[in-house]
mmCIF file of all heavy atoms in Angstrom:
data_model
loop_
_atom_site.group_PDB
_atom_site.id
_atom_site.type_symbol
_atom_site.label_atom_id
_atom_site.label_comp_id
_atom_site.label_asym_id
_atom_site.label_seq_id
_atom_site.Cartn_x
_atom_site.Cartn_y
_atom_site.Cartn_z
ATOM 1 N N ARG A 177 -9.713 18.901 -0.470
ATOM 2 C CA ARG A 177 -9.278 20.140 -0.998
ATOM 3 C C ARG A 177 -10.416 20.988 -1.526
ATOM 4 O O ARG A 177 -11.282 20.494 -2.182
ATOM 5 C CB ARG A 177 -8.392 19.845 -2.227
ATOM 6 C CG ARG A 177 -7.056 19.064 -1.874
ATOM 7 C CD ARG A 177 -6.140 19.438 -2.925
ATOM 8 N NE ARG A 177 -5.012 18.434 -2.842
ATOM 9 C CZ ARG A 177 -4.783 17.438 -3.403
ATOM 10 N NH1 ARG A 177 -5.666 17.023 -4.474
ATOM 11 N NH2 ARG A 177 -3.780 16.554 -3.217
ATOM 12 N N TYR A 178 -10.308 22.259 -1.197
ATOM 13 C CA TYR A 178 -11.295 23.213 -1.716
ATOM 14 C C TYR A 178 -10.721 23.870 -3.040
ATOM 15 O O TYR A 178 -10.759 25.073 -3.196
ATOM 16 C CB TYR A 178 -11.581 24.223 -0.621
ATOM 17 C CG TYR A 178 -12.392 23.630 0.541
ATOM 18 C CD1 TYR A 178 -11.755 22.878 1.542
ATOM 19 C CD2 TYR A 178 -13.780 23.570 0.368
ATOM 20 C CE1 TYR A 178 -12.536 22.296 2.482
ATOM 21 C CE2 TYR A 178 -14.522 22.860 1.399
ATOM 22 C CZ TYR A 178 -13.904 22.391 2.501
ATOM 23 O OH TYR A 178 -14.572 21.665 3.479
ATOM 24 N N THR A 179 -10.011 23.063 -3.825
ATOM 25 C CA THR A 179 -9.545 23.502 -5.111
ATOM 26 C C THR A 179 -9.889 22.438 -6.195
ATOM 27 O O THR A 179 -10.284 21.310 -5.851
ATOM 28 C CB THR A 179 -8.038 23.543 -5.132
ATOM 29 O OG1 THR A 179 -7.481 22.232 -4.743
ATOM 30 C CG2 THR A 179 -7.519 24.573 -4.206
ATOM 31 N N TYR A 180 -9.756 22.800 -7.503
ATOM 32 C CA TYR A 180 -10.114 21.817 -8.501
ATOM 33 C C TYR A 180 -8.806 21.081 -8.824
ATOM 34 O O TYR A 180 -8.156 21.314 -9.858
ATOM 35 C CB TYR A 180 -10.539 22.571 -9.705
ATOM 36 C CG TYR A 180 -12.016 23.051 -9.572
ATOM 37 C CD1 TYR A 180 -12.308 24.391 -9.128
ATOM 38 C CD2 TYR A 180 -13.110 22.244 -9.906
ATOM 39 C CE1 TYR A 180 -13.654 24.822 -8.956
ATOM 40 C CE2 TYR A 180 -14.462 22.628 -9.602
ATOM 41 C CZ TYR A 180 -14.633 23.926 -9.252
ATOM 42 O OH TYR A 180 -15.889 24.375 -9.084
ATOM 43 N N ASP A 181 -8.350 20.319 -7.949
ATOM 44 C CA ASP A 181 -7.156 19.532 -8.029
ATOM 45 C C ASP A 181 -7.391 17.990 -7.725
ATOM 46 O O ASP A 181 -7.718 17.675 -6.627
ATOM 47 C CB ASP A 181 -6.180 20.067 -6.981
ATOM 48 C CG ASP A 181 -4.822 19.242 -7.047
ATOM 49 O OD1 ASP A 181 -4.702 18.366 -7.872
ATOM 50 O OD2 ASP A 181 -3.856 19.648 -6.223
ATOM 51 N N ASN A 182 -7.256 17.149 -8.800
ATOM 52 C CA ASN A 182 -7.588 15.731 -8.660
ATOM 53 C C ASN A 182 -6.435 14.889 -8.204
ATOM 54 O O ASN A 182 -6.489 13.654 -8.245
ATOM 55 C CB ASN A 182 -8.143 15.288 -9.981
ATOM 56 C CG ASN A 182 -9.505 15.675 -10.218
ATOM 57 O OD1 ASN A 182 -10.354 15.831 -9.327
ATOM 58 N ND2 ASN A 182 -9.817 15.742 -11.544
ATOM 59 N N ASN A 183 -5.355 15.467 -7.810
ATOM 60 C CA ASN A 183 -4.162 14.790 -7.479
ATOM 61 C C ASN A 183 -4.434 14.071 -6.103
ATOM 62 O O ASN A 183 -4.609 14.729 -5.101
ATOM 63 C CB ASN A 183 -2.873 15.619 -7.325
ATOM 64 C CG ASN A 183 -1.617 14.899 -6.961
ATOM 65 O OD1 ASN A 183 -1.672 13.708 -6.589
ATOM 66 N ND2 ASN A 183 -0.554 15.614 -6.968
ATOM 67 N N TYR A 184 -4.518 12.778 -6.086
ATOM 68 C CA TYR A 184 -4.811 11.953 -4.856
ATOM 69 C C TYR A 184 -3.863 12.254 -3.706
ATOM 70 O O TYR A 184 -4.267 12.083 -2.562
ATOM 71 C CB TYR A 184 -4.777 10.468 -5.195
ATOM 72 C CG TYR A 184 -5.520 9.607 -4.283
ATOM 73 C CD1 TYR A 184 -6.928 9.751 -4.071
ATOM 74 C CD2 TYR A 184 -4.863 8.545 -3.572
ATOM 75 C CE1 TYR A 184 -7.625 8.848 -3.308
ATOM 76 C CE2 TYR A 184 -5.635 7.725 -2.809
ATOM 77 C CZ TYR A 184 -6.904 7.870 -2.530
ATOM 78 O OH TYR A 184 -7.594 7.039 -1.764
ATOM 79 N N PHE A 185 -2.665 12.546 -4.046
ATOM 80 C CA PHE A 185 -1.700 12.622 -2.898
ATOM 81 C C PHE A 185 -1.179 14.137 -2.622
ATOM 82 O O PHE A 185 -1.096 14.821 -3.629
ATOM 83 C CB PHE A 185 -0.483 11.850 -3.156
ATOM 84 C CG PHE A 185 -0.790 10.418 -3.401
ATOM 85 C CD1 PHE A 185 -0.523 9.738 -4.601
ATOM 86 C CD2 PHE A 185 -1.202 9.654 -2.280
ATOM 87 C CE1 PHE A 185 -0.835 8.429 -4.828
ATOM 88 C CE2 PHE A 185 -1.575 8.263 -2.481
ATOM 89 C CZ PHE A 185 -1.340 7.659 -3.645
ATOM 90 N N ASN A 186 -0.996 14.412 -1.414
ATOM 91 C CA ASN A 186 -0.357 15.735 -1.165
ATOM 92 C C ASN A 186 1.195 15.522 -1.087
ATOM 93 O O ASN A 186 1.738 15.744 -0.052
ATOM 94 C CB ASN A 186 -0.797 16.161 0.320
ATOM 95 C CG ASN A 186 -2.093 16.984 0.332
ATOM 96 O OD1 ASN A 186 -2.453 17.631 -0.666
ATOM 97 N ND2 ASN A 186 -2.875 16.848 1.402
ATOM 98 N N ALA A 187 1.672 15.242 -2.222
ATOM 99 C CA ALA A 187 3.119 14.929 -2.195
ATOM 100 C C ALA A 187 3.824 15.778 -3.212
ATOM 101 O O ALA A 187 3.238 15.963 -4.411
ATOM 102 C CB ALA A 187 3.327 13.399 -2.448
ATOM 103 N N PHE A 188 5.041 16.194 -2.897
ATOM 104 C CA PHE A 188 5.770 17.019 -3.761
ATOM 105 C C PHE A 188 6.383 16.197 -5.005
ATOM 106 O O PHE A 188 6.317 16.621 -6.046
ATOM 107 C CB PHE A 188 6.943 17.577 -2.975
ATOM 108 C CG PHE A 188 7.516 18.842 -3.589
ATOM 109 C CD1 PHE A 188 6.756 19.963 -3.741
ATOM 110 C CD2 PHE A 188 8.973 18.766 -4.037
ATOM 111 C CE1 PHE A 188 7.299 21.145 -4.308
ATOM 112 C CE2 PHE A 188 9.484 19.944 -4.623
ATOM 113 C CZ PHE A 188 8.679 21.015 -4.723
ATOM 114 N N TYR A 189 6.693 15.004 -4.678
ATOM 115 C CA TYR A 189 7.248 14.078 -5.750
ATOM 116 C C TYR A 189 6.335 12.915 -5.937
ATOM 117 O O TYR A 189 5.783 12.330 -4.971
ATOM 118 C CB TYR A 189 8.496 13.522 -5.376
ATOM 119 C CG TYR A 189 9.642 14.624 -4.916
ATOM 120 C CD1 TYR A 189 10.023 14.727 -3.647
ATOM 121 C CD2 TYR A 189 10.140 15.423 -5.951
ATOM 122 C CE1 TYR A 189 10.969 15.716 -3.291
ATOM 123 C CE2 TYR A 189 11.055 16.451 -5.620
ATOM 124 C CZ TYR A 189 11.514 16.521 -4.363
ATOM 125 O OH TYR A 189 12.478 17.462 -3.968
ATOM 126 N N GLN A 190 6.111 12.471 -7.136
ATOM 127 C CA GLN A 190 5.235 11.330 -7.443
ATOM 128 C C GLN A 190 5.729 10.741 -8.718
ATOM 129 O O GLN A 190 6.041 11.421 -9.619
ATOM 130 C CB GLN A 190 3.889 11.885 -7.532
ATOM 131 C CG GLN A 190 2.759 10.760 -7.699
ATOM 132 C CD GLN A 190 1.295 11.408 -7.469
ATOM 133 O OE1 GLN A 190 0.423 10.523 -7.697
ATOM 134 N NE2 GLN A 190 1.119 12.589 -7.163
ATOM 135 N N GLY A 191 5.443 9.403 -8.879
ATOM 136 C CA GLY A 191 5.782 8.679 -10.104
ATOM 137 C C GLY A 191 5.806 7.253 -10.000
ATOM 138 O O GLY A 191 5.701 6.652 -8.887
ATOM 139 N N ILE A 192 6.013 6.484 -11.118
ATOM 140 C CA ILE A 192 6.068 5.126 -11.222
ATOM 141 C C ILE A 192 7.494 4.875 -11.795
ATOM 142 O O ILE A 192 7.845 5.449 -12.799
ATOM 143 C CB ILE A 192 4.949 4.429 -12.066
ATOM 144 C CG1 ILE A 192 3.633 4.886 -11.686
ATOM 145 C CG2 ILE A 192 5.140 2.974 -12.325
ATOM 146 C CD1 ILE A 192 2.835 4.124 -10.701
#
Side-chain angles (χ1 to χ4, degrees):
R177 294 201 192 101
Y178 291 87
T179 57
Y180 287 94
D181 178 1
N182 285 330
N183 181 355
Y184 197 63
F185 300 116
N186 270 331
F188 199 63
Y189 305 110
Q190 182 169 180
I192 305 272

